[in-house]
Amino acid sequence: MIDRILADLNKTEGIKGSMVVGKDGLVIATQLPGGLDAELIGAMASAAFGAAERTAAEIGQGKLEQTMIEGEFGKTIMTDAGEGILVVLTDAKVNLGLIRISMKRATEKIRSAF
């Protein structure tokens, strides 16, 4: 079920791959391109999201909804998906509005799947 949601999400222009990881960093589902270490990405994404959650709470911004890491070759966008974290890898130049709308829809479906 979640694999299908990710496959549909990956059809969005600019998305290179996606995955759902538990808050503990364990991979729940993945639709990443070959050559990427899903276990490593999952662990790192979980750690980054956890740090961002603590930061948001400490500076009074409430519950973290989304965080993004922007690099020279692309973006990693992470969204709270209830029991897990939706992680999306994109190209460097993407329509962030379109990506966010697609992620919001996917997140709602993932929450329902849990």
Side-chain angles (χ1 to χ4, degrees):
M1 174 75 175
I2 294 177
D3 284 319
R4 182 77 206 140
I5 296 167
L6 295 179
D8 288 343
L9 177 61
N10 286 359
K11 293 175 184 172
T12 304
E13 185 176 343
I15 292 181
K16 296 192 288 190
S18 59
M19 66 188 306
V20 176
V21 298
K23 305 270 171 121
D24 58 2
L26 294 177
V27 174
I28 295 170
T30 181
Q31 291 286 318
L32 294 175
L36 295 179
D37 184 342
E39 299 295 326
L40 178 61
I41 293 170
M44 297 302 286
S46 175
F49 194 83
E53 276 184 318
R54 289 186 297 282
T55 301
E58 282 296 320
I59 60 177
Q61 292 189 336
K63 186 175 184 302
L64 182 67
E65 294 177 10
Q66 187 175 79
T67 189
M68 179 173 62
I69 299 169
E70 191 167 354
E72 181 180 359
F73 303 118
K75 297 169 181 45
T76 303
I77 307 169
M78 295 165 275
T79 302
D80 188 331
E83 299 294 316
I85 302 162
L86 172 61
V87 180
V88 171
L89 306 178
T90 75
D91 295 323
K93 297 195 185 299
V94 292
N95 180 337
L96 281 176
L98 176 62
I99 302 285
R100 288 183 179 188
I101 289 169
S102 298
M103 287 181 70
K104 183 176 178 22
R105 290 180 183 146
T107 298
E108 290 167 1
K109 292 175 186 174
I110 291 165
R111 285 178 188 261
S112 296
F114 281 121

